[in-house]
Amino acid sequence: MKSIQKLLILLLSVAAAMLIGSLLILASGANPLEAYYYMVIRPLTSVNSLGEVSMYFTPLLLVGIGVSFAFHARLSNLGGEGQILFGALGMTLMGISPVGDVLGIFSLPVGCLLGILFGILWAAIAGFLRVRFKTSEIVVTLMLNYIAQQIISYLVFFPLRSGAEPQSEKIACALPKLSSSSRINWGVVVALLLTVAYGVIMKKTRFGFRLRTLGGSEKAAVYSGVPVGRYYFAAMAISGAFCGLAGAMQISGNTMRLMEGVAGDFGFSGIVVAMLGSLHPVGLVIASLFMAVLSAGSVTMQVKTGIPTSFTSVLEALIVLFILLGMALSSRRGKHRKGGKA
Amino acid sequence: MTAAEKAPLLKLEGITKTFGPMMANDRINLALYGGEVLALLGENGAGKSTLMNIIYGIYHPDAGRILLRGKEVRISSPRDALHLGIGMVHQHFMLIGRYNAVENICLIDRSRAFSYFDKKKVRASLEALKEQYGIEVDLNCPVEQLGISMQQKIEILKLLYTGADILILDEPTAVLLPQECEALFSIIRNMTGQGKGVIFISHKLDEVLSISDRVDVLSHGRVCGHMKTAEADKNQIVHMMSGENLQDLASFEKKSPSREVVFACEGVEAYDDRRAKTLEGVSLKVHKGEIVGIAGVEGNGQNELAEVLSGVRKAHAGKLTIQGTELSTKNPESFIRQGIGYIPADRNTVGTVPDFPLYENWLLRKLHFPGKYGLIDQKALQREAGRAMEEFDVRATGFWARSANLSGGNLQKFILARELRKNPRLLICSYPTRGLDVKASYFVRSQIVAAKEQGAGVILFSGDLEELFSISDRIVVLNHGQVVGEKLPEESSQEEIILMMMGEKA
């Protein structure tokens, strides 16, 4: 009953957002059906375009999982972008350094680990401040994004710059491809395996259980003997680890170079994924696929109908608003019903 | 002229309300006359709250009529109810902490935003009302700085200000001390003396018998008893409410505890959440098979003490030992490992996670879970929780039920089952029967006594002196974070304990 209601809210939110979206499309003089066809259906019709979808899918799923870890402990990690950038930096440093040549094929996994480590580092700042000084992790993670952006800008403009463009050298270690006819690579498989791991951890391990307890009621967690500070910190760090890995894969599977804007919108879209997937592993996969299709399709849409790609951000924002609205309304009704039983 | 000869102020005819398959109110008839106190008794879930919410306009009845001074009315919101002169003091007060009494009352006075408050006028009429009904309360102090009984008085004042002549008090004494109850009762008498009708909801029989003129008993959504207080008899009422006899419910055999000390604390000091020092050197000993009752006026350090002793709050100083092993509050888990069970006062957000299904809540404060390779075996967990729920008579739709949907009594039984299944060496119970009905309270007490008979030491914090006297082997009185005395229940009286609670050294 409860989960059906939730699913209904999610589906209605998507529908409502697309409805309002179609008004916007109409207003800009295009045919909504045509626009949505290029945005939602077209990307699924060829192997090549599915490869494009996967370029969005992997980072969205990884960031979505990361954000979900934090959400479970009732923490909001809005710092996905900064953590992705730092993860990307970790991978780049490995990929362009002479150490990479020494490590050979191991430079890819080591680069990923370095990216994860950098992501953890960046998220841990917010985790530490939250645990030690009770600062809002929302504000801190958000602000850290800007700092990360500036650091990466500085790096690609000066120390790491190669050539005329503000970008780093091409890295030596690339993620192996899954098929020769599209850009799809092994990152997708890794992300899906990690989704399974995420599901098992949350549902079946003591750590996951305690994390959820903490999110459900901090006082109950204290009562239950959970070292609350350590768990808040861990939730934030793991969140950063996933975003860091997303960054590392963004470099090794997509751009091959560190540059400004390598994090795209994934930091925030990951939050949408977590909410739309309601933190459930299967939900996260479906939500990231949906969002990835929108993002990949928006490019074709722009070419064919003239609707700018930024229209996807509008859709995303509308979806989030409707989910929040639906949740708020249904929980208010729920409270009323509960009052009746007392 | 007696109350019964007048026309009723409020009359309910055949009020019926269902929630899904559950019949919360079944053809209820009820009458309230001006100048009387009608007590409404019933177990949790008997339908009292639903009925009051109908009168107050929060719910709409499926069938039935509400007659106000002989005229049928439709009450579709609390605002309507207030207009019609019906006011309700809820268990949770609806006051804004930072505002003082006058400002709080100004809030309900006008509904338009940006309208002008004539605070002087409001204050003057409040002063008059205070005088008229003998209500003593500070109108200038922000309400968050006032005690609970003062806040309650402000709530009452608020209703009187709106001109309510039907007042519903929902378990008003649950939060009060004995002497504060007396003050409340005198206000109630002043109100009925001026022709107002009062509906008084309570679990506590003695109170009901002392304040009310008539008693209606609700059970399973129906009015099952109807009597004048003067003719009522305690046994008869309990029987009506639950079908059990009072004798069975109140008596517990006491066995003398052993000499072996199971738990001791010395010189415990601790701070509360606002970093004010609330425990100033508490020392206690608990023997095997002994229930130590802790009495005290609320806010004298009981909560902090219960939390420190169960490892949930850090102690600032002092020494805790369980059968010779020293415990450190820096490591809360070690308390669980050492066999200290804890029933927290707040069962809804401390004792359980409201959004978890029961079988997941079964894992709280547990060190071991069924399963291999560090993975929880959900099936085994569900079986384990299900069996315990059956044994402790936890009534729920199943182990899938979210704990937020359980009634207080069932939730408490669930928490009790969880702690007792671990065979604790020490059981700390913080207000274990607060808000529970007679039957559930009896069940909880008898389980606590059973744990003690199996050799556990028990520390029982309670605001209910009768409870403390009926099951503790020793009563320790706490005042301003210090132990001010210790009495054996058979050698003491409630009056003596109350005096000690107020700070008089024994």
Side-chain angles (χ1 to χ4, degrees), chain A residues 38-39 43 48-65 84 183-185 187-188 191 246-247 249-250 253-255 261-270 273 284-302 309-310 312-313 316:
Chain A
Y38 287 119
M39 204 176 184
N48 191 21
S49 61
L50 273 175
E52 283 314 302
V53 171
S54 82
M55 287 295 115
Y56 294 95
F57 176 76
T58 308
L60 277 173
L61 184 55
L62 287 172
V63 176
I65 296 171
I84 294 170
R183 288 174 74 197
I184 194 163
N185 60 42
V188 175
M249 288 194 172
Q250 191 68 2
N254 191 352
T255 64
V262 76
D265 289 331
F266 294 126
F268 291 108
S269 304
V273 166
L284 290 179
V285 172
I286 296 172
S288 351
L289 188 62
F290 174 70
M291 301 274 297
V293 168
L294 288 190
S295 302
S298 65
V299 181
T300 337
M301 179 185 71
Q302 182 171 19
T309 53
S310 54
T312 44
S313 324
E316 276 177 29

Side-chain angles (χ1 to χ4, degrees), chain A residues 200 203-206 209-210 212-213 216-217 219-220 222-225 336 338-340 342, chain B residues 19 50 59 312 333 342 349-350 353 356 360 363-365 367 369 375-376 378 404 418-419:
Chain A
V200 172
K203 195 70 195 167
K204 293 213 137 195
T205 67
R206 181 180 148 100
F209 173 74
R210 289 182 141 198
R212 285 189 294 130
T213 306
S217 162
K219 287 183 197 155
V222 173
Y223 166 71
S224 206
H336 261 242
K338 211 184 83 197
Chain B
F19 293 104
T50 307
Y59 296 142
V312 169
E333 228 182 62
Y342 177 35
T349 57
V350 179
V353 178
F356 277 8
E360 287 198 329
L363 270 183
L364 286 191
R365 214 174 161 85
L367 295 173
F369 51 79
L375 298 182
I376 301 169
Q378 307 271 350
R418 194 176 62 201
E419 293 305 292

Side-chain angles (χ1 to χ4, degrees), chain B residues 178-242:
Chain B
Q179 66 275 14
E180 290 172 342
C181 289
E182 263 320 306
L184 173 68
F185 287 177
S186 94
I187 295 172
I188 292 178
R189 286 193 196 101
N190 287 339
M191 293 194 296
T192 52
Q194 309 209 12
K196 298 193 185 287
V198 174
I199 299 179
F200 184 92
I201 302 172
S202 177
H203 285 313
K204 297 182 191 165
L205 285 179
D206 291 317
E207 273 171 22
V208 163
L209 294 176
S210 79
I211 186 70
S212 67
D213 299 295
R214 288 187 304 121
V215 180
D216 275 4
V217 182
L218 279 185
S219 174
H220 297 107
R222 288 191 198 148
V223 176
C224 65
H226 199 76
M227 68 206 85
K228 286 203 173 118
T229 308
E231 297 158 9
D233 161 71
K234 237 176 158 178
N235 268 318
Q236 188 196 352
I237 297 178
V238 172
H239 191 77
M240 275 183 196
M241 279 165 66
S242 62

